[in-house]
Amino acid sequence: MAAQHGRSRIRGVTARRFVVTGRVQGVGYRPFVYNRALELGLSGTVQNDPARVFVHAEGDAAALDRLAHDLLHAAPPLARPQVASCEPIEAAGHEDFKIIASAADADAPDQSVAR
């Protein structure tokens, strides 16, 4: 049975992938996402490339809704984020939230990172 609307086979866990653009480089945006995800009890990853920040977040749907709001409205003072996309995805079963090293490839986040 495939996940529907980001709802996973992992009971009660929802997952979303956010792509954030705008002024998000060099302003503490990845640490902000990391800290906010921990506060909300989410697991997953945050990574950037030269133009974007990629967030894979898993957890309670209400916490994911709060993260979506905070990505724009609680960002660091110098950041000017814009959510380019937010997609429901299948949960990968992350146990914690991690900052992943910057991706050299501007086309996609590093998918080879161990989960």
Side-chain angles (χ1 to χ4, degrees):
M1 169 189 262
Q4 295 181 2
H5 305 291
R7 189 66 69 179
S8 172
R9 287 179 230 146
I10 303 168
R11 188 172 185 91
V13 175
T14 300
R16 295 185 198 159
R17 181 174 186 262
F18 301 92
V19 178
V20 185
T21 59
R23 188 185 314 155
V24 291
Q25 306 298 335
V27 294
Y29 198 77
R30 283 185 305 156
F32 154 73
V33 173
Y34 170 82
N35 288 321
R36 193 64 189 122
L38 291 181
E39 291 168 3
L40 293 168
L42 298 171
S43 61
T45 60
V46 60
Q47 179 182 29
N48 68 321
D49 71 11
R52 303 164 287 197
V53 170
F54 303 94
V55 180
H56 173 110
E58 303 180 0
D60 176 80
L64 290 169
D65 290 343
R66 184 63 195 192
L67 178 65
H69 175 270
D70 290 352
L71 289 175
L72 293 176
H73 303 290
L78 296 177
R80 299 292 179 267
Q82 299 173 346
V83 175
S85 68
C86 173
E87 304 172 344
I89 58 173
E90 182 140 355
H94 290 279
E95 294 182 13
D96 54 8
F97 202 91
K98 296 179 182 176
I99 297 175
I100 298 175
S102 299
D105 180 2
D107 292 330
D110 182 0
Q111 299 298 320
S112 65
V113 175
R115 298 187 200 279

